[in-house]
Amino acid sequence: MQLLYSAMSPFARKVRVVAFELGLAERLELVPATPYTDESLRAINPLSKIPVLIPDEGSPIFDSPVICEYLEHLAGVSLTPASGPERWAALTQQALADGMGDAALAIVRERLRDGEGKGPGRQDLFDRQAAALNAALDKLEAEGLPADRFQIGEIAVAAQLAYLDGRVVLAWREGRPNLAAWYETASRRTSMVATAPQLA
Ligand SMILES: N[C@@H](CCC(=O)N[C@@H](CS)C(=O)NCC(=O)O)C(=O)O
């Protein structure tokens, strides 16, 4: 099966870490895709977003939470608690982390406007996305993340924190020692190291 991805995409990173944790990484053929410049992706995903999983049989699968669920199904192993409050907490944590990615991406895209000669980024957009990011980070700092578990919620958070670093979105460690310490350990997991973008 193929994964349309980009090395920097935090959503694709989450999927790749999940595949790695499930022992499926070898079965994923990584196919680079450029959603912002290649309109041909739209024939596969009308939203023209990555990641997209193209299974050996059947239709393309997106977005990243659905791909993760598909991979869990394929592996016969779940990285999501089966039921009860823990399940909703884990899925909500994934949604929180994915939302952080949406906000971070919007900031990065808006910053690029300068470089592309499209004029300065809009301050109201920066402020709103930064508010979302900071509030989400504060929630994670206050609630803490478990040291002994690396499932869908934790993987989603780790992928997004890595993106904040990779794109230098904001100094998220400042005032958040618990989250910083958690990420220090999480980022050393084999699945995180194996999926880290190779920066030139
Ligand atoms: N909710 C989607 C978000 C995916 C997403 O925003 N991907 C970015 C790249 S990191 C993208 O393809 N953006 C293209 C666009 O927004 O046009 C998911 O979880 O997969």
Side-chain angles (χ1 to χ4, degrees):
M1 60 193 156
Q2 294 182 324
L3 183 73
L4 309 190
Y5 88 117
S6 86
M8 286 304 289
S9 164
F11 305 99
R13 179 93 181 268
K14 176 183 64 175
V15 166
R16 293 172 62 209
V17 171
V18 162
F20 200 98
E21 295 282 341
L22 291 171
L24 292 175
E26 299 288 306
R27 287 176 60 185
L28 273 191
E29 181 193 344
L30 298 176
V31 179
T34 50
Y36 292 105
T37 53
D38 181 2
E39 269 299 306
S40 68
L41 178 62
R42 216 173 281 285
I44 301 168
N45 176 357
L47 306 176
S48 188
K49 291 188 181 194
I50 51 165
V52 178
L53 184 84
I54 305 189
D56 294 336
E57 283 171 27
S59 307
I61 297 173
F62 51 87
D63 52 4
S64 63
V66 187
I67 300 174
C68 292
E69 196 173 330
Y70 177 80
L71 293 176
E72 291 177 75
H73 168 78
L74 212 61
V77 177
S78 186
L79 293 174
T80 312
S83 62
E86 281 206 332
R87 175 172 178 79
W88 310 122
L91 291 174
T92 302
Q93 184 156 294
Q94 175 179 209
L96 181 78
D98 288 356
M100 287 166 57
D102 292 335
L105 235 73
I107 289 174
V108 169
R109 294 295 305 170
E110 197 65 10
R111 274 185 192 157
L112 281 172
R113 285 170 67 91
D114 275 335
E116 290 170 354
K118 292 180 186 156
R122 285 167 297 158
Q123 196 57 46
D124 60 332
L125 184 146
F126 281 126
D127 291 349
R128 184 154 179 82
Q129 303 305 326
L133 258 179
N134 278 312
L137 289 161
D138 286 344
K139 179 173 165 65
L140 293 170
E141 171 70 12
E143 292 179 356
L145 286 118
D148 57 351
R149 193 177 65 198
F150 199 61
Q151 293 194 326
I152 194 66
E154 294 78 32
I155 293 171
V157 170
Q160 296 302 338
L161 295 179
Y163 182 77
L164 297 182
D165 282 349
R167 290 289 193 217
V168 198
V169 179
L170 81 179
W172 63 268
R173 289 177 180 77
E174 271 174 28
R176 299 187 186 100
N178 299 330
L179 192 57
W182 176 83
Y183 180 67
E184 183 59 30
T185 305
S187 63
R188 278 193 253 117
R189 278 186 81 93
T190 312
S191 57
M192 286 295 290
V193 174
T195 54
Q198 303 301 313
L199 300 175

